[in-house]
């Protein structure tokens, strides 16, 4: 009887406690049969059983780690530790070490866009970055900062696609005008919306076939909401009344609404004063919408985009923003991701993460 070839076994799953697991970035750093199993996000106290909410992350609790340390091999931190004090993060690190669990940290934010004062996030980074067994970040510039500030080396792995792959291959809607959008969201602390909008309104007034659309969440216009900002709403409404822009006040978009909105724009302007990386930029790249990003972070190292001067220290460089808009107007259409490239990139990211986890577990 002829000898049978040995059976080919699938790779053994590496079990990862990922904080969080359900975020689109984390989901798209995996691939089918990549040999990595990520624990589902535990449901926070008070969240209904049907909820997919992951914040605040239960896995950050040292007691959770102690109770579940046999359920995972690697602990991988991404987001969600904004409310953790340095002492709480130190307790988490100590608990992971006591149970022999490697810590991986992907440094998405060197500046937290939700915190006006960098001191709080710096204090957290000063605990997590030195303690991590492996660091990842998204751009060479961020890796350079990590090396300079903490004398640590971070692997540079690109941000995966944000929009689902079938939509990346889909056609863009056709419209006659050059449409520029600013989404003010709920006026995150790193946004300086009005100075940017004023320059955009003046610039687009010079173009015959251009329009400015400003979107903002309903809570900013609601006097009963903590996010209420009458000054911003009043000026935006005055500009809209004068025909300088179209103002849309709405509830939070779901994914489908957000993709439709982004695809309707020729240019999305990010009105940030500080930050590091951007998932919004990645979504625009997936959909073929140009982006004008500030020079305060490492956005230009992520994907092709236009850059203008805008920092917390120096304020807005109005002329550079104007030039960015005119360049987007002249160079339409914007560079766009392809489904093939994004699928290949995702497979490579999944393989890189498995390789990294495997090295830590040897």
């Amino acid at each position: 009887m002829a000898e049978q070839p040995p059976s080919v076994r699938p790779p053994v799953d590496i079990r990862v406690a990922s904080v969080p697991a359900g975020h689109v970035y984390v989901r798209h750093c995996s691939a089918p049969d990549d040999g990595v199993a990520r624990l589902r996000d535990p449901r926070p106290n008070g969240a209904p059983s049907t909820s997919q909410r992951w914040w605040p992350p239960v896995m950050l609790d040292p007691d959770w780690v102690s109770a579940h340390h046999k359920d995972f091999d690697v602990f991988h931190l991404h987001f969600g530790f904004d409310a953790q004090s340095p002492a709480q993060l130190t307790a988490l690190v100590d608990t992971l070490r006591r149970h022999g669990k490697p810590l991986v940290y992907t440094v998405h934010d060197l500046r937290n866009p939700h915190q006006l004062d960098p001191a709080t996030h710096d204090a957290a980074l000063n605990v997590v970055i030195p303690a991590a067994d492996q660091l990842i970040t998204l751009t060479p510039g961020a890796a350079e900062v990590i090396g300079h500030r903490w004398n640590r080396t971070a692997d540079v792995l690109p941000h995966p696609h944000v929009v689902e792959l079938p939509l990346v291959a889909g056609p863009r809607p056709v419209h006659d005008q050059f449409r520029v959008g600013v989404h003010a969201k709920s006026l995150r602390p790193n946004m300086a919306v009005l100075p940017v909008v004023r320059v955009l309104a003046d610039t687009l007034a010079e173009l015959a076939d251009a329009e400015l659309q400003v979107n903002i969440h309903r809570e900013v216009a609601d006097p009963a909401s903590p996010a209420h900002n009458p000054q911003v709403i009043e000026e935006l409404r005055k500009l809209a009344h004068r025909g300088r822009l179209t103002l849309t006040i709405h509830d939070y978009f779901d994914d489908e609404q957000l993709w439709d909105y982004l695809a309707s724009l020729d240019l999305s302007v990010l009105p940030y004063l500080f930050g590091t990386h951007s998932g919004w930029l990645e979504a625009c790249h997936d959909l073929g919408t140009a982006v004008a990003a500030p020079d305060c972070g490492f956005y230009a190292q992520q994907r092709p985009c236009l850059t203008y001067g805008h920092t917390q220290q120096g304020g807005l460089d109005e002329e550079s923003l104007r030039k960015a808009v005119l360049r987007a107007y002249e160079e339409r259409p914007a560079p766009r991701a392809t489904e093939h490239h994004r699928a290949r990139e995702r497979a490579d990211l999944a393989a890189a993460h498995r390789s990294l986890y495997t090295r830590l577990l040897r």
Side-chain angles (χ1 to χ4, degrees):
M1 179 181 296
E3 182 178 350
Q4 296 295 318
S7 60
V8 178
R9 295 184 178 180
V12 176
D13 280 346
I14 298 171
R15 303 166 304 163
V16 179
S18 183
V19 184
H23 191 281
V24 65
Y25 174 94
V26 181
R27 290 190 284 108
H28 290 177
C29 280
S30 64
D33 303 319
D34 64 359
V36 175
R38 290 175 174 85
L39 276 60
R40 297 184 66 175
D41 294 310
R43 192 168 63 250
N45 289 336
S49 60
T50 55
S51 173
Q52 300 196 11
R53 195 185 87 198
W54 56 265
W55 191 91
V58 176
M59 290 183 187
L60 294 180
D61 186 343
D63 289 340
W64 182 92
V65 173
S66 292
H68 295 274
H69 67 93
K70 293 183 179 179
D71 299 332
F72 66 91
D73 305 302
V74 176
F75 193 93
H76 192 155
L77 180 61
H78 290 271
F79 312 106
F81 56 93
D82 309 49
Q84 306 300 114
S85 69
Q88 290 171 313
L89 290 171
T90 299
L92 171 67
V93 168
D94 290 344
T95 304
L96 289 169
R97 286 176 176 160
R98 187 166 65 251
H99 293 291
K101 302 299 177 180
L103 170 62
V104 179
Y105 174 42
T106 296
V107 188
H108 295 270
D109 299 311
L110 290 165
R111 278 291 307 271
N112 189 319
H114 302 283
Q115 297 170 345
L116 191 61
D117 185 348
T120 300
H121 193 61
D122 285 347
L125 295 182
N126 285 337
V127 174
V128 177
I129 289 180
D133 297 283
Q134 176 69 49
L135 296 170
I136 300 170
T137 194
L138 312 183
T139 55
E144 185 177 350
V145 172
I146 292 165
H148 176 73
R149 287 179 59 181
W150 292 280
N151 196 30
R152 294 295 309 274
T153 298
D155 287 356
V156 177
L157 298 176
H159 196 299
H161 65 97
V162 172
V163 177
E164 297 299 332
L165 290 174
L167 280 177
V168 175
R172 281 180 57 82
V174 177
H175 52 264
D176 295 331
Q177 290 191 301
F178 175 65
R179 188 173 297 157
V180 177
V182 175
H183 198 316
K185 302 183 184 178
S186 296
L187 297 181
R188 210 164 56 183
N190 74 329
M191 289 188 174
V193 172
L194 291 179
V196 168
V197 166
R198 294 178 193 125
V199 173
L200 294 177
D202 289 344
T203 303
L204 295 179
E206 303 171 11
L207 305 174
D209 59 345
E211 62 175 319
L212 173 60
Q213 180 174 332
V214 177
N215 285 51
I216 198 163
H217 289 153
R218 195 177 308 280
E219 60 186 351
V220 181
D222 180 1
S225 169
H228 183 225
N229 191 313
Q231 178 190 356
V232 170
I233 288 294
E234 181 180 2
E235 180 161 349
L236 291 177
R237 282 175 168 158
K238 285 181 178 178
L239 288 168
H241 182 72
R242 290 165 51 199
R244 305 297 299 278
L245 57 84
T246 299
L247 177 62
T248 303
I249 301 173
H250 58 83
D251 294 321
Y252 285 67
F253 285 150
D254 62 24
D255 283 352
E256 184 177 357
Q257 292 169 322
L258 180 56
W259 308 153
D260 287 346
Y261 160 73
L262 290 178
S264 75
L265 303 176
D266 296 290
L267 174 66
S268 180
V269 180
L270 308 184
Y272 304 159
L273 278 169
F274 56 87
T276 313
H277 302 117
S278 170
W280 190 275
L281 168 61
E282 299 285 344
C284 287
H285 184 56
D286 288 335
L287 295 167
T289 298
V291 170
D295 60 0
C296 55
F298 299 105
Y299 309 110
Q301 292 186 9
Q302 274 190 255
R303 301 294 166 188
C305 65
L306 301 161
T307 302
Y308 69 98
H310 200 199
T311 66
Q312 195 171 15
Q313 295 75 27
L316 175 63
D317 180 347
E318 296 185 0
E319 183 58 23
S320 67
L321 177 56
R322 181 177 180 277
K323 288 180 178 178
V325 173
L326 295 177
R327 183 175 171 186
Y329 179 80
E330 295 293 338
E331 295 183 356
R332 287 173 286 171
R336 183 179 184 181
T338 66
E339 183 181 18
H340 172 77
H341 177 262
R342 283 301 216 181
R344 180 69 263 169
E345 184 178 61
R346 178 170 177 172
D348 290 345
L349 282 167
H353 279 80
R354 176 176 171 81
S355 176
L356 182 153
Y357 298 147
T358 300
R359 290 198 309 270
L360 290 176
L361 294 172
R362 282 177 182 161

